[in-house]
Amino acid sequence: MTDGYVTYAAQDMNANNSQIQIVEQKTVAFAGTEILTVKATDEKVYVAVKWLCESIGLSEGQIKSERKRVKEDTVLLKGGRNFTLLTNGGMQTILCIELDYLPLWLAKIAITPNMKKETPWIADRLVEFQLKAKDVLAAAFFQQPQQNSPMTPVEILAQAAQQMLILERKTNHLEERQNLMEQNQQNIVEVLKTDTTNWRQMTNDLLRKIAYARGGENQYRAVRNHVYDLLKVRGRCDLERRLSNRQKNMLAQGMNKSAINKLSKIDMIAEEPRLIEVFVAIVKEMAIAHNVNF
């Protein structure tokens, strides 16, 4: 976390000459992740769009779509700004959205039937972000929030969208989720207590069962790659790049090509206990979501 940060100019997507300076930058903890957030000289808080999408668990394609939405939506683009920030990857131009527009933007991210079926944990996290993220991020910058202040039109619209979301969840999904919880309760217990000592074999068995639940053995590769995509977001680890770099180093050292070709993404995960923990958690979550039997 960086406070009292050096100032950088912001580029307003609606007024290119606007010079708003950053006075504070933080990574705010929320729902088990960290979200890049800044406060500017206009006394407003802005949230990094990509960081928040990754924290929810959206795929690269979904993140691209949401960045496009913020840039092109008639209302949301009024709250969008590009800031030049120092990140782990160096100085980067980061698309951010004003905090007042955050609930409205999140309310526009649809929880589709496919999302509820394939990645129900992402659907649940999205609801949590829609309802709570703004208050948590605001509290990180404003110790004494204003009381009884008039709501802006954007806030009124966002509140109405939130209320509609809550009503929709209650009317359309409460009974469905209750039935699903009753059906899967015993299976969830079995998944969570599974011995992870031999995590490679355990996760491989679960992935194959998930593949069968999704249509058959031919789904195994797609299921495994989906887990790797989730690991890239939640574990902040590019397995493809890590594996490629390791193979190049081994080749430069003159190692046997057969040994180089046998190296896999699972081997990269095995080198870091943190990645093993995240990988196993993702596989277990998918097993629970697909009601895999043990």
Side-chain angles (χ1 to χ4, degrees):
M1 181 173 70
T2 306
D3 297 325
Y5 211 70
V6 71
T7 59
Y8 299 102
Q11 181 182 19
D12 189 333
M13 292 188 293
N14 299 298
N16 293 330
N17 294 325
S18 177
Q19 292 295 312
I20 295 178
Q21 304 295 324
I22 299 170
V23 296
E24 190 174 5
Q25 176 175 329
K26 293 182 178 181
T27 50
V28 180
F30 178 72
T33 61
E34 291 187 332
I35 304 172
L36 180 62
T37 315
V38 298
K39 182 179 180 182
T41 50
D42 60 358
E43 292 299 315
K44 295 179 181 178
V45 174
Y46 296 85
V47 184
V49 171
K50 183 178 180 180
W51 278 57
L52 192 137
C53 288
E54 290 179 344
S55 296
I56 294 173
L58 300 184
S59 67
E60 291 293 332
Q62 290 171 316
I63 293 174
K64 183 177 180 180
S65 295
E66 291 311 315
R67 287 170 54 84
K68 182 179 179 181
R69 188 200 303 274
V70 172
K71 293 178 180 179
E72 297 181 358
D73 183 271
T74 304
V75 177
L76 296 180
L77 66 83
K78 299 179 185 298
R81 286 185 183 275
N82 290 315
F83 289 98
T84 302
L85 304 175
L86 180 61
T87 68
N88 291 337
M91 298 298 296
Q92 297 185 25
T93 299
I94 307 294
L95 173 63
C96 297
I97 188 167
E98 185 184 329
L99 193 59
D100 281 346
Y101 289 79
L102 179 62
L104 180 60
W105 166 43
L106 294 176
K108 288 174 177 282
I109 303 178
I111 299 179
T112 64
N114 185 62
M115 178 187 291
K116 289 190 293 183
K117 178 181 178 181
E118 303 294 340
T119 54
W121 57 91
I122 294 179
D124 290 341
R125 286 180 66 81
L126 178 54
V127 173
E128 183 177 9
F129 274 67
Q130 288 170 332
L131 300 179
K132 300 178 181 179
K134 179 186 176 182
D135 291 341
V136 173
L137 297 175
F141 288 91
F142 303 110
Q143 297 298 323
Q144 299 294 332
Q146 294 182 356
Q147 300 295 327
N148 302 321
S149 57
M151 295 199 317
T152 66
V154 171
E155 290 175 323
I156 293 173
L157 185 58
Q159 185 181 70
Q162 285 181 322
Q163 292 172 346
M164 291 177 63
L165 280 169
I166 295 172
L167 181 60
E168 181 183 357
R169 302 300 181 271
K170 289 181 178 179
T171 56
N172 296 338
H173 306 302
L174 184 58
E175 183 177 351
E176 176 186 340
R177 288 184 60 82
Q178 180 63 34
N179 292 337
L180 182 62
M181 288 175 63
E182 292 175 356
Q183 294 171 5
N184 295 345
Q185 183 176 10
Q186 183 58 41
N187 193 49
I188 291 174
V189 172
E190 293 297 327
V191 172
L192 294 178
K193 73 178 185 181
T194 303
D195 182 15
T196 59
T197 302
N198 188 6
W199 64 271
R200 287 192 187 218
Q201 185 62 50
M202 182 271 290
T203 55
N204 186 62
D205 290 344
L206 286 178
L207 290 175
R208 292 194 179 281
K209 291 180 179 181
I210 294 169
Y212 277 114
R214 296 180 62 171
E217 181 70 22
N218 61 333
Q219 294 294 315
Y220 177 78
R221 182 183 296 273
V223 170
R224 183 186 61 190
N225 289 338
H226 182 58
V227 172
Y228 290 154
D229 288 340
L230 292 175
L231 182 65
K232 182 177 180 180
V233 174
R234 289 172 57 173
R236 297 192 181 278
C237 172
D238 190 335
L239 292 178
E240 190 75 38
R241 179 180 299 177
R242 184 174 294 194
L243 176 60
S244 176
N245 290 340
R246 180 62 54 79
Q247 290 174 328
K248 289 178 182 178
N249 290 337
M250 293 172 67
L251 185 63
Q253 294 171 10
M255 298 186 66
N256 186 279
K257 288 188 177 180
S258 177
I260 296 175
N261 292 333
K262 287 181 179 180
L263 202 64
S264 68
K265 292 179 180 178
I266 286 290
D267 295 320
M268 299 298 97
I269 295 172
E271 293 179 350
E272 190 172 340
R274 179 186 66 87
L275 290 181
I276 295 175
E277 181 179 351
V278 177
F279 178 72
V280 170
I282 292 172
V283 174
K284 284 187 173 184
E285 289 172 0
M286 289 188 66
I288 291 172
H290 288 80
N291 196 23
V292 167
N293 294 319
F294 283 77

